[in-house]
Amino acid sequence: MSLPDIVSREQWLAAREELLVKEKVVTRARDALNAERRRLPMVEIAEEYVFDGGDGKATLLDLFEGRVQLVVYHFMFAPEWEAGCRSCSAFLDQIGHLAHLKARGTSFAVVSRAPFPRILPFKARMGWTLPWYSSYDNGFNRDFEVTLEQSGQLVDRPGLSCFLRDGDRVFHTYSTYERGLDGLGSTTTLLDLTALGRQEEWEEPKGRASSLGAPAGSERVRYHDEYEF
């Protein structure tokens, strides 16, 4: 095994300070990229998708649970599979408590092609309580390019899509796939993909931090059992 060099504390601090300069460059570049993502235009969803879930049938609007934003994780689970994708399962394992997303007006849901009766036992086996829906009877996966046709066969890939609601109108704001999921999972990384972002005053473009009529960003962070929904 190749291990790092052994140096003195002073040498380590010097090397760490040198690296910190580069890390700050990456942080500023990431902030600029997130701002550019928030400036993307959006497209209205005209299709009336109907999913199967724990409470029966649900539309895409229902998945918002009354909130203004929705993040959907496209979980690879083909209709003929007995269990979901291992990599997708590892991704869901790292999703934190949803209360912190909900406090920023953002819901999170999982969608797969497998019929809901096949999803349910696997979800129970994994011990997940995340909202999970089946798109077995609609074209949601194809329309959002997570189910592709290759050599005459349907092939799934992992992805994540973000939606914004204005009354009963639903808009698609962003999607990413495969390697674009690297590093995601925390509340802030998921919010960074949305049109409203973290809703911090320092974020660009201006005017979205107070869009939910609540204190901006970190000022509304609570212990997850202290939020009032």
PDB file of all heavy atoms in Angstrom, residues 121-133:
ATOM      1  N   PRO A 121     -41.542  -4.738  -0.517  1.00  0.00           N
ATOM      2  CA  PRO A 121     -40.738  -5.606   0.344  1.00  0.00           C
ATOM      3  C   PRO A 121     -39.260  -5.234   0.352  1.00  0.00           C
ATOM      4  O   PRO A 121     -38.588  -5.379   1.384  1.00  0.00           O
ATOM      5  CB  PRO A 121     -40.963  -7.006  -0.240  1.00  0.00           C
ATOM      6  CG  PRO A 121     -41.450  -6.793  -1.619  1.00  0.00           C
ATOM      7  CD  PRO A 121     -42.202  -5.509  -1.597  1.00  0.00           C
ATOM      8  N   PHE A 122     -38.757  -4.753  -0.774  1.00  0.00           N
ATOM      9  CA  PHE A 122     -37.350  -4.342  -0.804  1.00  0.00           C
ATOM     10  C   PHE A 122     -37.136  -3.096   0.058  1.00  0.00           C
ATOM     11  O   PHE A 122     -36.147  -2.993   0.795  1.00  0.00           O
ATOM     12  CB  PHE A 122     -36.905  -4.077  -2.242  1.00  0.00           C
ATOM     13  CG  PHE A 122     -35.472  -3.653  -2.358  1.00  0.00           C
ATOM     14  CD1 PHE A 122     -34.443  -4.543  -2.095  1.00  0.00           C
ATOM     15  CD2 PHE A 122     -35.140  -2.358  -2.719  1.00  0.00           C
ATOM     16  CE1 PHE A 122     -33.111  -4.158  -2.185  1.00  0.00           C
ATOM     17  CE2 PHE A 122     -33.814  -1.956  -2.818  1.00  0.00           C
ATOM     18  CZ  PHE A 122     -32.805  -2.868  -2.552  1.00  0.00           C
ATOM     19  N   LYS A 123     -38.075  -2.157  -0.011  1.00  0.00           N
ATOM     20  CA  LYS A 123     -38.001  -0.956   0.822  1.00  0.00           C
ATOM     21  C   LYS A 123     -38.005  -1.334   2.296  1.00  0.00           C
ATOM     22  O   LYS A 123     -37.234  -0.789   3.100  1.00  0.00           O
ATOM     23  CB  LYS A 123     -39.171  -0.027   0.500  1.00  0.00           C
ATOM     24  CG  LYS A 123     -39.213   1.240   1.325  1.00  0.00           C
ATOM     25  CD  LYS A 123     -40.443   2.076   0.990  1.00  0.00           C
ATOM     26  CE  LYS A 123     -40.501   3.330   1.851  1.00  0.00           C
ATOM     27  NZ  LYS A 123     -41.707   4.143   1.587  1.00  0.00           N
ATOM     28  N   ALA A 124     -38.871  -2.291   2.668  1.00  0.00           N
ATOM     29  CA  ALA A 124     -38.925  -2.748   4.058  1.00  0.00           C
ATOM     30  C   ALA A 124     -37.626  -3.429   4.468  1.00  0.00           C
ATOM     31  O   ALA A 124     -37.128  -3.226   5.584  1.00  0.00           O
ATOM     32  CB  ALA A 124     -40.101  -3.703   4.239  1.00  0.00           C
ATOM     33  N   ARG A 125     -37.080  -4.236   3.565  1.00  0.00           N
ATOM     34  CA  ARG A 125     -35.812  -4.913   3.852  1.00  0.00           C
ATOM     35  C   ARG A 125     -34.701  -3.906   4.147  1.00  0.00           C
ATOM     36  O   ARG A 125     -33.890  -4.103   5.065  1.00  0.00           O
ATOM     37  CB  ARG A 125     -35.425  -5.780   2.658  1.00  0.00           C
ATOM     38  CG  ARG A 125     -34.006  -6.351   2.736  1.00  0.00           C
ATOM     39  CD  ARG A 125     -33.605  -7.026   1.432  1.00  0.00           C
ATOM     40  NE  ARG A 125     -32.190  -7.275   1.376  1.00  0.00           N
ATOM     41  CZ  ARG A 125     -31.539  -7.710   0.297  1.00  0.00           C
ATOM     42  NH1 ARG A 125     -32.207  -7.947  -0.831  1.00  0.00           N
ATOM     43  NH2 ARG A 125     -30.235  -7.901   0.331  1.00  0.00           N
ATOM     44  N   MET A 126     -34.665  -2.800   3.383  1.00  0.00           N
ATOM     45  CA  MET A 126     -33.632  -1.776   3.551  1.00  0.00           C
ATOM     46  C   MET A 126     -33.908  -0.853   4.737  1.00  0.00           C
ATOM     47  O   MET A 126     -33.044  -0.094   5.159  1.00  0.00           O
ATOM     48  CB  MET A 126     -33.510  -0.935   2.279  1.00  0.00           C
ATOM     49  CG  MET A 126     -33.002  -1.683   1.054  1.00  0.00           C
ATOM     50  SD  MET A 126     -31.254  -2.208   1.185  1.00  0.00           S
ATOM     51  CE  MET A 126     -31.469  -3.934   1.650  1.00  0.00           C
ATOM     52  N   GLY A 127     -35.124  -0.901   5.261  1.00  0.00           N
ATOM     53  CA  GLY A 127     -35.455  -0.070   6.412  1.00  0.00           C
ATOM     54  C   GLY A 127     -35.642   1.396   6.082  1.00  0.00           C
ATOM     55  O   GLY A 127     -35.512   2.256   6.952  1.00  0.00           O
ATOM     56  N   TRP A 128     -35.986   1.687   4.822  1.00  0.00           N
ATOM     57  CA  TRP A 128     -36.150   3.078   4.405  1.00  0.00           C
ATOM     58  C   TRP A 128     -37.583   3.554   4.640  1.00  0.00           C
ATOM     59  O   TRP A 128     -38.539   2.798   4.486  1.00  0.00           O
ATOM     60  CB  TRP A 128     -35.828   3.234   2.920  1.00  0.00           C
ATOM     61  CG  TRP A 128     -34.393   2.978   2.573  1.00  0.00           C
ATOM     62  CD1 TRP A 128     -33.295   3.277   3.320  1.00  0.00           C
ATOM     63  CD2 TRP A 128     -33.902   2.358   1.379  1.00  0.00           C
ATOM     64  NE1 TRP A 128     -32.151   2.894   2.667  1.00  0.00           N
ATOM     65  CE2 TRP A 128     -32.483   2.332   1.469  1.00  0.00           C
ATOM     66  CE3 TRP A 128     -34.511   1.847   0.238  1.00  0.00           C
ATOM     67  CZ2 TRP A 128     -31.685   1.795   0.459  1.00  0.00           C
ATOM     68  CZ3 TRP A 128     -33.718   1.314  -0.763  1.00  0.00           C
ATOM     69  CH2 TRP A 128     -32.317   1.295  -0.648  1.00  0.00           C
ATOM     70  N   THR A 129     -37.717   4.824   4.995  1.00  0.00           N
ATOM     71  CA  THR A 129     -39.028   5.444   5.154  1.00  0.00           C
ATOM     72  C   THR A 129     -39.258   6.530   4.105  1.00  0.00           C
ATOM     73  O   THR A 129     -40.263   7.226   4.138  1.00  0.00           O
ATOM     74  CB  THR A 129     -39.188   6.049   6.559  1.00  0.00           C
ATOM     75  OG1 THR A 129     -38.152   7.024   6.768  1.00  0.00           O
ATOM     76  CG2 THR A 129     -39.088   4.970   7.626  1.00  0.00           C
ATOM     77  N   LEU A 130     -38.317   6.686   3.182  1.00  0.00           N
ATOM     78  CA  LEU A 130     -38.431   7.695   2.133  1.00  0.00           C
ATOM     79  C   LEU A 130     -39.660   7.427   1.259  1.00  0.00           C
ATOM     80  O   LEU A 130     -39.978   6.275   0.976  1.00  0.00           O
ATOM     81  CB  LEU A 130     -37.182   7.666   1.243  1.00  0.00           C
ATOM     82  CG  LEU A 130     -35.839   7.969   1.912  1.00  0.00           C
ATOM     83  CD1 LEU A 130     -34.695   7.521   1.010  1.00  0.00           C
ATOM     84  CD2 LEU A 130     -35.730   9.451   2.204  1.00  0.00           C
ATOM     85  N   PRO A 131     -40.356   8.462   0.811  1.00  0.00           N
ATOM     86  CA  PRO A 131     -41.487   8.259  -0.107  1.00  0.00           C
ATOM     87  C   PRO A 131     -40.986   7.621  -1.414  1.00  0.00           C
ATOM     88  O   PRO A 131     -40.058   8.129  -2.036  1.00  0.00           O
ATOM     89  CB  PRO A 131     -42.012   9.676  -0.351  1.00  0.00           C
ATOM     90  CG  PRO A 131     -41.483  10.498   0.782  1.00  0.00           C
ATOM     91  CD  PRO A 131     -40.174   9.885   1.153  1.00  0.00           C
ATOM     92  N   TRP A 132     -41.608   6.520  -1.818  1.00  0.00           N
ATOM     93  CA  TRP A 132     -41.166   5.785  -3.012  1.00  0.00           C
ATOM     94  C   TRP A 132     -42.379   5.471  -3.861  1.00  0.00           C
ATOM     95  O   TRP A 132     -43.407   5.001  -3.361  1.00  0.00           O
ATOM     96  CB  TRP A 132     -40.457   4.497  -2.584  1.00  0.00           C
ATOM     97  CG  TRP A 132     -39.586   3.873  -3.643  1.00  0.00           C
ATOM     98  CD1 TRP A 132     -39.668   4.038  -4.989  1.00  0.00           C
ATOM     99  CD2 TRP A 132     -38.486   2.982  -3.420  1.00  0.00           C
ATOM    100  NE1 TRP A 132     -38.688   3.317  -5.630  1.00  0.00           N
ATOM    101  CE2 TRP A 132     -37.954   2.653  -4.686  1.00  0.00           C
ATOM    102  CE3 TRP A 132     -37.925   2.413  -2.276  1.00  0.00           C
ATOM    103  CZ2 TRP A 132     -36.874   1.782  -4.835  1.00  0.00           C
ATOM    104  CZ3 TRP A 132     -36.848   1.556  -2.425  1.00  0.00           C
ATOM    105  CH2 TRP A 132     -36.314   1.249  -3.691  1.00  0.00           C
ATOM    106  N   TYR A 133     -42.265   5.716  -5.163  1.00  0.00           N
ATOM    107  CA  TYR A 133     -43.380   5.549  -6.075  1.00  0.00           C
ATOM    108  C   TYR A 133     -42.966   4.724  -7.297  1.00  0.00           C
ATOM    109  O   TYR A 133     -41.800   4.725  -7.702  1.00  0.00           O
ATOM    110  CB  TYR A 133     -43.893   6.912  -6.549  1.00  0.00           C
ATOM    111  CG  TYR A 133     -44.408   7.782  -5.426  1.00  0.00           C
ATOM    112  CD1 TYR A 133     -43.535   8.631  -4.731  1.00  0.00           C
ATOM    113  CD2 TYR A 133     -45.742   7.766  -5.054  1.00  0.00           C
ATOM    114  CE1 TYR A 133     -43.992   9.428  -3.694  1.00  0.00           C
ATOM    115  CE2 TYR A 133     -46.217   8.567  -4.027  1.00  0.00           C
ATOM    116  CZ  TYR A 133     -45.326   9.393  -3.350  1.00  0.00           C
ATOM    117  OH  TYR A 133     -45.787  10.180  -2.321  1.00  0.00           O
TER     118      TYR A 133
END
